[in-house]
Amino acid sequence: MGQFTKNMAADEVPLCSVSISDPFWDRQIELVQSVVIPYQWEVLNDRVPEAEPSHAIMNLKIAAGIEKGDFNGFFFQDTDLYKWLEAVAYSLTIKEDKELEKLADDAIELIGKAQCEDGYLNTFVQIREPEKRFTNLEECHELYTAGHMIEAGVAYYQATGKKAFLDIVSRFADYIDSRFGVEEGKIHGYDGHQEVELALVRLYKATGEERYRKLAKYFLDARGTEPFYLDEEWEKRGKISYWTQKEISAPKGRAAYFQAHKPVREQTEAVGHAVRQVYMLTGMADIASLYGEEAMKNACVTLWNNIVKKQMYITGGIGSTGAGEAFTYDYDLPNDTIYSETCASIGLIFFAQRMLLMENNRCYSDVIEKALFNVIMSSMAKDGKHYFYVNPLEVEPKASRKSPIKGHVKPVRQKWFGCACCPPNLARLLTSLRGYIYTASEDTLYIHQYIGSEVTAKLNSKEVKASITSEYPWDETVTIRLHSIEAENYKVAVRIPGWCRKAELTVDGEAIDLSSCMENGYAVLSRRWSKEAVLILTLSMPVEEMQANPNVRNDLGKVAIQRGPLVYCLEEVDNGANLPAISLAKDPDFTVKKEEILDGILSISAKGVREEEAGWEDALYLPYSRKTKDVTLKAVPYYSWGNRGEGEMLVWIRKEI
Amino acid sequence: MGQFTKNMAADEVPLCSVSISDPFWDRQIELVQSVVIPYQWEVLNDRVPEAEPSHAIMNLKIAAGIEKGDFNGFFFQDTDLYKWLEAVAYSLTIKEDKELEKLADDAIELIGKAQCEDGYLNTFVQIREPEKRFTNLEECHELYTAGHMIEAGVAYYQATGKKAFLDIVSRFADYIDSRFGVEEGKIHGYDGHQEVELALVRLYKATGEERYRKLAKYFLDARGTEPFYLDEEWEKRGKISYWTQKEISAPKGRAAYFQAHKPVREQTEAVGHAVRQVYMLTGMADIASLYGEEAMKNACVTLWNNIVKKQMYITGGIGSTGAGEAFTYDYDLPNDTIYSETCASIGLIFFAQRMLLMENNRCYSDVIEKALFNVIMSSMAKDGKHYFYVNPLEVEPKASRKSPIKGHVKPVRQKWFGCACCPPNLARLLTSLRGYIYTASEDTLYIHQYIGSEVTAKLNSKEVKASITSEYPWDETVTIRLHSIEAENYKVAVRIPGWCRKAELTVDGEAIDLSSCMENGYAVLSRRWSKEAVLILTLSMPVEEMQANPNVRNDLGKVAIQRGPLVYCLEEVDNGANLPAISLAKDPDFTVKKEEILDGILSISAKGVREEEAGWEDALYLPYSRKTKDVTLKAVPYYSWGNRGEGEMLVWIRKEI
């Protein structure tokens, strides 16, 4: 098996070594802490009258024998609590909160009580069909649920130092290890929804227990091999589907839906359920990294390229269809029947981060930034209780109500759902956002994201502190301060974003020749740093018109407005109805303006034209005779759309030529 | 109830008074006679190895007690045979065929044997659930099936003078009349799929039996009234759906799907299943006409306008979504997820024809022409055995295979289907095409369609013969010859198509001032005609670029090429792949050329530009910098697409400005 050598690779910086203080992101993180986490706790306990009851705590109590009753909710309902606990863990590393920690400890105690003697834990199976453990891996998400539990257990241990939850999840992981593997007598299967793979790697890293790493690798190795396990399973369970409780046809045709159509190392195109695809890739990148395995790394790179070069929206969204929340095919990026699930972009960020750890390259950190500043920022409303699960690039409220293929595209953020995957996923991402800003190797501090923060890292065994201050993404200037007790030799690698056509960097006032020090999109500065050093990075942020590859038929003849990492959009409230009737002038003469609305965004005004409706009366088709009027367009950041009532929204705008 | 006065109304000319001889349409009609009708007979008898067995004849034999076995096929499978018999009837009026007539007579004898004592006939119900007559009108199409039987019976009687089939269908109609109506003890319902209404009107016209007219009116009057019959029925049948054999929720929310959401006279927007909508409107126009009822006529006009001014494709296709084969909402006309079923355009032609009979106006005959020359001509392949059921305006074969929302859009004509509604519907339309060319009132011969033909009509009680010769739709010149034994006073009304911006008309070489004689889009010539007169109509046919109302967001910034009644399209075979990357030049400099391919079409060449793929390498998004190359485009008539292998097709083309 080919081995690869890591190139400019680095490690994660522990969350406890980073703190964020950023005018843009603080609000989001604070919202998660003050609203989302407490609100979700109420939801988990079925105490929110306007939300669908979660049943998650009640299911655990029933499984623990504390309460009587039937299981309620989706079969993966337990994950609501696990994702909450993971977010709580990260939150506690930001800010001590004894009360919250007590709630979490109690919930963990309950989890412990619900766990079976042998380590197994899944309230759906325990309450409904205890004899049917691991008999419907294709549909019932037992290992997916286990994965979220393991992630939470690791995070809680790393945040608090308390081992109770880690022990619980380790016992479950041990049980899974006793049941799955290539050995005779074990189940030769894997889950229909990937997640346990990446979780086991985290558990391995937290505990050093080799078993978990091997088990993660086993799940990836087994996937998509012949004989096809999910076929065998389907035969064994009488061909009955959980969803319909009826006999269904063989799952083989659907194997691509959960990326089991080929061995993972042979997969070359992102297909099927988007979240499963990127969760799997996250695990694959982990395993490639841990084992230095070239074939696995190559598969990751191939699939990464397929996603970001053929199947990703300009916002960092992925998943072109609501049918199966899935990828479709290269260059199929419809803007109005899109899926682009929030969770899928979160998974893409996970995957990108793992790739970055394997090979430092801005192609990964650029995508993290793109997804963060567009899809991720967009998905949560300012009240923390309304969400976009689907993140469209074109919305017409009438179509959302009336078109059978656009019903999933909502014109306003929706209340916390029955299947509430996105809000808690977002909560754990935002509370661990610190983890995406820096990485560090033996001698180099990598700075990936321009989020106001401080970090403490060991470089060449010496402690170095660094801080970022900026008005990013509005302002072009980022200030980086370095501090060590003595002058020290180390390297600092500063990402020059891919969107930036003109960057300037000074160190203590002295201009750096960037062309001489660029490596994979990073300016790498190696020197003996004085105790205090100030880097000023100036990232030119003119308004730009972006176009899509001509194979993207939905975007032909159109442009998207972008400034820095932010994609902009038109909204009906600023530009009137029927937004597609607008086009951007040949010379749009952009004006950037600071606004009071939407928490102080920069809006972009431009010259445009609008097709005239006058003269049409009630004709549907007429000989061509273009009649337009000049208009002034106003674009706002994509992430801020849908906060001023229901209306149309449009990212890709026709361009006058 | 308000009465209206017919304005310039006319009657149908009997099919036996018209014969077609036309270089464009002869081939299609001949194909139906030589291939479609014989082939369908084989299909009906389950003798075509490559086609799904129809079971239609076998079902009848089982119902008649001649064979043993179970019912097979859709519950409306009988209609396959009825539509075939209707087409045979029309075909026999074109050309005597003793052998074919014998097959039809035998089939009719079999139908008679299968008919119940009391007149009822439906093989699905008789074989499967004889005690359940009319208990699931919502789903099971019993009256729809009866309607097709009645239409066939009337057509066969009118074609052959033989009464056997007319008697069979009259007995069934009498039975239906005994079971349905407002009287106590009768069923106060109506069918989920409209058709029997228009059929009963035909039966009334053929027999003069008032009962049938009243029954047709009853079905329309009852529809959509409260209490909602289909709710009651659903309760009575235990809420079980035929399709799932499971309990379903109340059908009320679905009432609009079969246009039962409001009383028919109060409906203002075309909704739901497109074929049902236009079949219903055909019956409504019939009843409005027969009763001179203004409210019913107004509803017809309102719905007509809604369809053709808000919900019709430029090809004459209707039905914007495959979900329910249905209308969606005003101006929602997606080109690539379209339905535009062939049967729906056939139904639209039926409706237009009935409107034309109520008020002569080219708005109706224009739409008939548009649908005939585009959707209808498109739907059948040259072998008569492959069909488009869905008639898209944009096709990408890869999308048809891979996109979950485009699977119904086929890039090549498909074999005769299991649910074979379109081919026999097309067969009956084409064999009765003569019926759409002329109508006549007491003193006026109306000429609607420029299809080479001869007609004999009585005008002011005198026999007048007229003939049309032309190379339409290729050539601008139409020659109309009039002949009477003596010079006579009568009127001739000649349609000036709505697409024509410059028409000239001469009578015996003398130019007519059209502005002085136009009525509702027809040049009405009233004079004492000599025994022989020659009208030369010249309809200027420059190539035109058409645009859609700016509310049609899918067509913004795009044009469609049209010449005369023909819509044109681009095909991959002529223009390369990725057709949306092409745009039409500001000055396209159109060239029309006679081609040898595709049975001698006129192709249209034009200047265009194509977005360059060079320079993109594998980038997905780049700053805007337009790179195009000049190309020469070649467009072919829409109806001829898909005859040269699988490839992309595009009607709406981006326009350079």
Side-chain angles (χ1 to χ4, degrees), chain B residues 492-516:
Chain B
V492 174
V494 176
R495 170 173 153 263
I496 308 299
W499 54 258
C500 181
R501 307 304 145 218
K502 182 162 164 274
E504 289 169 9
L505 180 62
T506 64
V507 176
D508 294 332
E510 173 204 338
I512 301 294
D513 174 15
L514 287 177
S515 66
S516 66

Side-chain angles (χ1 to χ4, degrees), chain A residues 60-130:
Chain A
L60 271 171
K61 286 184 179 165
I62 295 166
I66 297 165
E67 298 271 359
K68 290 216 179 310
D70 192 13
F71 177 89
N72 265 300
F74 286 98
F75 41 71
F76 52 86
Q77 205 72 21
D78 296 350
T79 61
D80 282 8
L81 175 62
Y82 301 143
K83 286 191 228 169
W84 180 81
L85 282 167
E86 193 181 340
V88 167
Y90 301 141
S91 182
L92 292 174
T93 65
I94 301 174
K95 193 176 71 181
E96 200 174 81
D97 184 336
K98 288 292 168 200
E99 204 176 320
L100 180 63
E101 194 168 334
K102 177 73 170 60
L103 290 181
D105 285 340
D106 290 350
I108 290 162
E109 197 184 329
L110 177 60
I111 292 168
K113 285 183 183 161
Q115 186 170 34
C116 299
E117 279 286 304
D118 56 11
Y120 181 85
L121 180 47
N122 182 297
T123 68
F124 167 71
V125 173
Q126 287 169 247
I127 298 170
R128 281 276 180 83
E129 34 192 41

Side-chain angles (χ1 to χ4, degrees), chain B residues 627-643:
Chain B
K627 288 191 196 69
T628 59
K629 60 180 171 196
D630 290 341
V631 290
T632 300
L633 307 181
K634 180 173 170 179
V636 296
Y638 172 77
Y639 78 75
S640 69
W641 85 275
N643 278 307

Side-chain angles (χ1 to χ4, degrees), chain B residues 74-79 82 120-125 134-149 172 176 190-196 223 233 242-243 257-258 273 275-276 325 419 421:
Chain B
F74 285 99
F75 41 71
F76 51 87
Q77 206 71 22
D78 297 351
T79 61
Y82 301 144
Y120 181 85
L121 180 47
N122 182 298
T123 67
F124 167 70
V125 173
F134 306 133
T135 54
N136 190 349
L137 293 171
E138 183 192 337
E139 297 178 320
C140 285
H141 294 17
E142 272 164 288
L143 295 172
Y144 165 84
T145 306
H148 275 301
M149 177 172 151
F172 193 8
I176 294 169
Y190 42 85
D191 207 77
H193 195 315
Q194 301 90 323
E195 153 69 20
V196 75
R223 196 168 201 91
E233 182 193 83
Y242 167 77
W243 292 102
Y257 175 65
F258 30 76
H273 190 264
V275 172
R276 300 178 200 211
E325 310 177 321
C419 172
C421 57

Side-chain angles (χ1 to χ4, degrees), chain A residues 313-488:
Chain A
Y313 289 91
I314 195 168
T315 52
I318 52 173
S320 298
T321 179
E325 310 177 321
F327 287 104
T328 54
Y329 53 95
D330 291 356
Y331 300 117
D332 181 44
L333 294 163
N335 297 305
D336 56 350
T337 58
I338 184 173
Y339 205 68
S340 180
E341 186 182 347
T342 302
C343 285
S345 286
I346 292 172
L348 181 61
I349 289 171
F350 294 161
F351 176 35
Q353 174 77 349
R354 301 309 199 278
M355 294 302 287
L356 194 59
L357 295 174
M358 198 155 27
E359 178 177 355
N360 200 79
N361 191 312
R362 87 170 164 211
C363 71
Y364 304 117
S365 33
D366 276 354
V367 167
I368 292 175
E369 180 180 78
K370 183 185 271 293
L372 282 176
F373 279 96
N374 298 287
V375 170
I376 301 303
M377 263 303 290
S378 169
S379 63
M380 183 167 64
K382 283 163 61 176
D383 66 359
K385 295 175 182 174
H386 291 79
Y387 293 84
F388 283 130
Y389 294 68
V390 167
N391 296 278
L393 274 71
E394 176 176 347
V395 171
E396 186 190 10
K398 187 169 55 182
S400 296
R401 284 193 300 276
K402 294 191 164 188
S403 169
I405 55 176
K406 299 178 189 168
H408 62 288
V409 175
K410 303 299 181 195
V412 288
R413 289 171 183 78
Q414 305 287 297
K415 277 189 201 159
W416 205 289
F417 283 5
C419 172
C421 57
C422 298
N425 223 350
L426 194 68
R428 67 185 184 128
L429 177 74
L430 289 173
T431 48
S432 61
L433 186 63
R434 290 164 293 156
Y436 300 90
I437 304 173
Y438 308 95
T439 60
S441 67
E442 177 63 26
D443 63 356
T444 311
L445 179 69
Y446 292 91
I447 301 181
H448 307 291
Q449 302 301 331
Y450 297 116
I451 297 174
S453 55
E454 285 188 13
V455 64
T456 307
K458 276 262 190 312
L459 300 172
N460 292 324
S461 310
K462 298 292 169 59
E463 191 175 274
V464 175
K465 284 184 191 291
S467 71
I468 298 170
T469 46
S470 83
E471 293 284 329
Y472 201 84
W474 311 120
D475 193 78
E476 302 186 337
T477 309
V478 176
T479 304
I480 300 164
R481 290 189 175 78
L482 302 172
H483 169 81
S484 49
I485 295 166
E486 300 294 328
E488 302 287 356

Side-chain angles (χ1 to χ4, degrees), chain B residues 262-278:
Chain B
K262 288 180 190 174
V264 298
R265 292 170 184 80
E266 296 170 23
Q267 296 186 21
T268 56
E269 285 179 21
V271 291
H273 190 264
V275 172
R276 300 178 200 211
Q277 175 73 79
V278 286

